[in-house]
Amino acid sequence: MSMRTSPTHPRDRRARRAFWILVAAAVLAAGSLTGALAAAPAPVTGLWTAASGTVLAVSLSLAVRILNFQDRARRAPDQPPEKPSAGAVQDRL
């Protein structure tokens, strides 16, 4: 078993912990956004809505990046990731 797929490797534990922290932040931000959208209109409410929406979007996008990284590492742990060549897009068209 390689170091990248070992469930006890510190990098995997850090990534898993960061993923769950980001998911928790997204859940809290979604709850906060719901409260902000239900509040009476005011400038402070607008700031609250913007901040909650931003935290929600950022935490979800980072959690998805971690999920993608973990999935790629699990699929091919001993192979370097493929980089598309300049003509790869043209070949697929």
Side-chain angles (χ1 to χ4, degrees), residues 18-19 22-23 56-72:
F19 171 76
L22 288 167
V23 169
L56 177 62
V58 168
S59 60
L60 281 179
S61 64
L62 290 174
V64 167
R65 287 186 68 187
I66 291 173
L67 258 181
N68 286 336
F69 170 76
Q70 291 289 353
D71 187 45
R72 276 187 285 156

Side-chain angles (χ1 to χ4, degrees), residues 38-92:
V44 174
T45 306
L47 291 173
W48 180 14
T49 303
S52 298
T54 301
V55 170
L56 177 62
V58 168
S59 60
L60 281 179
S61 64
L62 290 174
V64 167
R65 287 186 68 187
I66 291 173
L67 258 181
N68 286 336
F69 170 76
Q70 291 289 353
D71 187 45
R72 276 187 285 156
R74 187 175 57 241
R75 283 187 187 180
D78 297 329
Q79 300 172 356
E82 291 182 23
K83 291 189 178 182
S85 63
V89 174
Q90 295 297 327
D91 293 340
R92 293 182 185 169

Side-chain angles (χ1 to χ4, degrees), residues 6-60:
S6 173
T8 59
H9 193 267
R11 186 177 8 200
D12 293 337
R13 285 192 303 247
R14 274 195 308 264
R16 198 173 305 125
R17 181 177 39 228
F19 171 76
W20 286 113
I21 288 171
L22 288 167
V23 169
V27 168
L28 292 174
S32 178
L33 183 60
T34 301
L37 292 173
V44 174
T45 306
L47 291 173
W48 180 14
T49 303
S52 298
T54 301
V55 170
L56 177 62
V58 168
S59 60
L60 281 179

